[in-house]
């Protein structure tokens, strides 16, 4: 028979054992919605990631807070234990553990899906549980638009914490540039409201600082007037001449386009054993139709297979864009930022250099089951940086000193067993681009002394995001993180880049 002393010891230990399990503590002592592994809501939320590798990580439970107060309660419980955890908005980061967790609680912001608009001012309060297509649908008919990303299924929370590149960035800067105030639950559960005048250093750190400072439960945003838009895709069958001309066209567009309502993404895509080898051009114009010749350098290129560009609502464009999300695939995303070459050196740098390098590496992956490899060339003209600076300081602190391209690299494949090998392919792809850019700068072929940060929303987890920011931005992020999270609740127990 157990001794009275044993019962006494169990009685002393029991509270700490219970509090060490966030899922049990929240379930037993609060009204916060908790989904355990056998619940349907657990399954539906867990499979809703862009990468199957994130879905394969199994949280101990999924918590669905409906307010900042409920998020505060969850974080206060987490402060009593040492569990790993994660916060998920849309789950579009394919980096394992960035918004996914294995064996600890997952905080889903899905129930924080409010959108409250002042019709007269265009100021909106937006919850991180909204995806971009949902935002566009809710705003349909109001005459206002959100400076969001380009794929409707993207979660708004992760987008804005990484900065957010938009079709409308040349007009309005990053997605985060339009934030007026945050509602932020700090790691200790305190709720604050950073703005340009209150907690201003935290306000800056949240614009490009990722998930290091707490949980944002509301974004107060300035929206902008918008009616019908023009957009869709042009698909070209590739050959060497199409490669060369499209790369030259995106270079020229980045430098010479003066209509900030116009935007393009130029993407090359290959699939297993060359069953697909195409270019997919994303066109956008913030108006019902672009002026004549706006996209002429692209549309005049031969080899067009099909086109879907037309006048439509922004909500329709966001919903249409979801064809790019490949459910059930392991996904990796990486990136590089490069200064554009001169017109005379376009072929050498973009076609013979970067694109040939990508084709060489991607060719070595074409036997991987289900492989889809892509590279996207996205204009980053000086005007985006200038617009972002005009709206206030952010952690990215891009300089309007040179026209640049943000290159997005994607590998998607079916077999989880290929993950380690494909990591090496991704590192070789972005690493080779970086090495070439540094070499061309040393030779004087590309502008040197240009600040080239890693764009967070496209970064591979092994890339040095904070190390590529300016020293002042790195220090600000580190100082803020140290002050708001002195016990390392977020820095030591969540994934993501750490300052």
């Amino acid at each position: 028979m157990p001794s009275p002393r044993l019962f006494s010891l169990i009685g002393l230990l029991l509270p700490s054992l219970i509090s060490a399990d966030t899922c049990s503590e929240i379930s037993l002592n609060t009204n916060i919605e908790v989904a355990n592994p056998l619940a349907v809501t657990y399954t539906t939320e867990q499979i809703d990631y862009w990468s199957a590798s994130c879905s394969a990580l199994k949280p101990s439970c999924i918590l669905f807070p409906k307010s900042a107060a409920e998020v505060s309660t969850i974080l206060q419980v987490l402060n009593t234990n040492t569990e790993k955890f994660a916060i998920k908005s849309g789950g579009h980061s394919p980096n394992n553990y960035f918004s996914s967790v294995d064996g600890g609680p997952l905080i889903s912001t899905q129930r924080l899906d409010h959108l409250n608009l002042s019709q007269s001012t265009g100021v909106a309060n937006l919850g991180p549980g909204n995806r971009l297509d949902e935002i566009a649908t809710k705003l349909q008919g109001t005459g206002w638009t959100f400076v969001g990303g380009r794929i409707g299924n993207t979660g708004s929370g992760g987008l804005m914490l990484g900065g957010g590149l938009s079709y409308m960035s040349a007009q309005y800067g990053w997605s985060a540039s339009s934030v007026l105030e945050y509602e932020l639950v700090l790691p200790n559960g305190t709720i604050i409201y950073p703005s340009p005048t209150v907690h201003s250093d935290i306000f800056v750190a949240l614009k490009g600082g990722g998930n290091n400072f707490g949980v944002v439960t509301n974004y107060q945003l300035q929206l902008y007037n918008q009616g019908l838009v023009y957009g869709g895709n042009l698909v070209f069958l590739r050959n060497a001449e199409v490669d060369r001309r499209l790369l030259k066209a995106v270079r020229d567009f980045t430098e010479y386009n003066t209509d900030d309502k116009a935007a393009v993404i130029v993407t090359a895509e290959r699939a297993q054993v060359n069953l697909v080898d195409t270019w997919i051009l994303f066109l956008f114009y913030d108006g019902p139709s672009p002026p004549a010749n706006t996209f002429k350098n692209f549309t005049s290129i031969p080899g067009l297979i099909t086109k879907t560009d037309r006048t439509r609502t922004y909500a329709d464009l966001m919903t249409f864009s979801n064809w790019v999300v490949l459910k059930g695939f392991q996904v990796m995303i990486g990136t590089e930022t490069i200064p554009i070459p001169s017109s005379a050196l376009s072929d050498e740098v973009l076609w013979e250099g970067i694109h040939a390098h990508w084709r060489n590496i991607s060719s070595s992956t074409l036997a991987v089951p289900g492989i889809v490899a892509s590279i996207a060339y996205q204009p980053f003209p000086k005007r985006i940086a200038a617009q972002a600076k005009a709206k206030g300081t952010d952690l990215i602190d891009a300089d309007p000193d040179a026209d640049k391209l943000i290159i997005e690299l994607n590998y998607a494949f079916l077999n989880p067993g290929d993950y380690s090998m494909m990591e090496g392919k991704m590192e070789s792809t972005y690493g080779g681009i970086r090495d070439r850019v540094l070499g061309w700068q040393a030779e004087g072929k590309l502008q040197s002394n240009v600040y080239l940060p890693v764009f967070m929303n496209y970064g591979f987890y092994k890339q040095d995001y904070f190390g590529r920011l300016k020293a002042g931005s790195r220090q600000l992020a580190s100082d803020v993180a140290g002050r708001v999270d002195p016990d390392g609740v977020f820095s030591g127990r969540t994934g993501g880049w750490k300052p």
Side-chain angles (χ1 to χ4, degrees):
M1 178 176 179
S3 69
R5 186 175 178 213
L6 178 59
F7 281 119
S8 177
L9 182 60
I10 292 173
L12 288 171
L13 290 176
L14 190 56
S16 63
L17 290 172
I18 292 173
S19 66
D21 179 357
T22 302
C23 299
S24 297
E25 180 77 6
I26 296 297
S27 182
L28 290 171
N29 298 311
T30 77
N31 293 319
I32 297 170
E33 182 182 349
V34 181
N36 292 308
L38 295 179
V40 173
T41 49
Y42 178 102
T43 301
T44 55
E45 181 70 9
Q46 189 56 21
I47 64 174
D48 200 8
Y49 284 97
W50 280 25
S51 178
S53 65
C54 296
S55 294
L57 302 174
K58 301 303 182 186
S60 52
C61 70
I62 303 179
L63 306 170
F64 294 94
K66 297 184 291 295
S67 66
E70 291 192 348
V71 172
S72 174
T73 297
I74 293 168
L75 292 183
Q76 288 178 61
V77 173
L78 282 165
N79 272 270
T80 68
N81 61 49
T82 59
E83 289 180 303
K84 299 285 187 181
F85 66 97
I87 303 101
K88 178 187 177 189
S89 172
H92 66 276
S93 171
N95 290 316
N96 296 334
Y97 303 104
F98 277 42
S99 61
S100 52
V101 64
D102 196 30
L106 174 67
I107 304 169
S108 169
T109 64
Q110 185 182 112
R111 306 290 187 259
L112 294 163
D113 61 350
H114 58 276
L115 195 165
N116 303 310
L117 169 68
S118 169
Q119 183 63 41
S120 61
T121 65
V123 173
N125 286 289
L126 174 75
N130 286 285
R131 296 174 188 267
L132 304 188
D133 50 8
E134 294 170 336
I135 298 170
T137 298
K138 291 174 181 179
L139 292 174
Q140 178 69 23
T142 67
W144 297 99
T145 194
F146 163 63
V147 182
R150 281 75 61 85
I151 308 302
N153 192 251
T154 303
S156 57
L159 174 83
M160 285 188 285
L161 290 175
L165 184 61
S166 172
Y167 285 131
M168 293 169 274
S169 284
Q171 296 180 81
Y172 309 119
W174 309 114
S175 298
S177 301
S178 294
V179 177
L180 305 174
E181 180 184 89
Y182 297 90
E183 182 178 65
L184 175 68
V185 186
L186 295 175
N188 66 3
T190 302
I191 301 172
I192 64 171
Y193 296 87
S195 72
T197 56
V198 178
H199 304 296
S200 57
D201 55 346
I202 300 176
F203 181 78
V204 172
L206 287 167
K207 295 193 287 183
N211 64 337
N212 288 295
F213 315 108
V215 181
V216 176
T217 50
N218 183 69
Y219 297 86
Q220 187 180 92
L221 298 162
Q222 180 62 60
L223 306 187
Y224 304 94
N225 293 124
Q226 186 180 75
L228 292 173
V229 302
Y230 179 90
N233 301 125
L234 275 61
V235 181
F236 296 85
L237 186 65
R238 63 100 19 211
N239 57 44
E241 181 63 12
V242 171
D243 292 350
R244 187 187 67 80
R245 289 185 61 176
L246 279 171
L247 291 166
K248 181 65 161 55
V250 72
R251 190 224 77 88
D252 292 348
F253 183 90
T254 303
E255 183 175 15
Y256 295 124
N257 174 59
T258 58
D259 190 340
D260 291 342
K261 294 183 178 183
V264 298
I265 306 173
V266 181
T267 303
E269 184 169 287
R270 314 178 73 180
Q272 190 173 5
V273 266
N274 279 323
L275 292 177
V276 174
D277 197 356
T278 59
W279 285 91
I280 304 171
L281 175 63
F282 294 74
L283 292 179
F284 175 81
Y285 191 80
D286 193 5
S289 61
N293 299 326
T294 300
F295 301 116
K296 181 180 178 181
N297 283 3
F298 301 100
T299 58
S300 63
I301 295 173
L304 183 66
I305 302 172
T306 187
K307 61 199 300 288
T308 60
D309 56 319
R310 60 179 176 83
T311 302
R312 62 213 311 168
T313 65
Y314 189 64
D316 178 62
L317 181 64
M318 287 293 97
T319 300
F320 170 76
S321 68
N322 286 331
W323 66 264
V324 306
V325 182
L326 300 173
K327 291 294 185 181
F329 282 69
Q330 322 296 316
V331 179
M332 294 177 180
I333 299 180
T335 187
E336 266 305 332
T337 307
I338 71 167
I340 64 167
S342 67
S343 180
L345 292 174
S346 178
D347 285 357
E348 179 180 348
V349 170
L350 295 179
W351 180 38
E352 299 167 0
I354 290 172
H355 201 68
H357 164 69
W358 172 77
R359 287 193 65 84
N360 179 54
I361 299 294
S362 60
S363 290
S364 70
T365 72
L366 293 179
V368 173
I371 189 71
V372 178
S374 67
I375 182 171
Y377 299 86
Q378 306 189 32
F380 184 8
K382 298 174 185 177
R383 293 183 305 285
I384 292 179
Q387 286 289 350
K389 282 186 177 295
K391 293 186 181 303
T393 307
D394 57 64
L395 207 65
I396 303 166
D397 197 21
D399 293 328
D401 60 342
D403 294 311
K404 310 173 188 75
L405 291 171
I406 292 176
I407 296 177
E408 178 188 355
L409 305 161
N410 287 265
Y411 288 113
F413 50 97
L414 288 172
N415 184 3
D418 290 324
Y419 203 91
S420 178
M421 180 269 292
M422 290 303 301
E423 277 195 336
K425 298 296 184 182
M426 175 58 80
E427 291 180 86
S428 295
T429 308
Y430 68 71
I433 293 172
R434 177 67 172 165
D435 289 344
R436 284 165 171 77
V437 168
L438 293 175
W440 287 319
Q441 288 180 314
E443 295 169 7
K445 293 180 178 179
L446 287 180
Q447 186 175 337
S448 60
N449 300 318
V450 177
Y451 169 49
L452 300 172
V454 170
F455 184 55
M456 178 181 278
N457 295 125
Y458 300 154
F460 190 57
Y461 79 97
K462 290 187 176 181
Q463 294 186 276
D464 187 8
Y465 173 74
F466 283 101
R468 293 274 292 273
L469 292 179
K470 293 177 181 176
S473 292
R474 292 196 303 271
Q475 190 62 54
L476 173 66
S478 179
D479 290 346
V480 170
R483 190 172 77 254
V484 303
D485 189 22
D487 297 324
V489 176
F490 277 63
S491 64
R493 295 163 58 187
T494 62
W497 294 285
K498 304 303 173 185

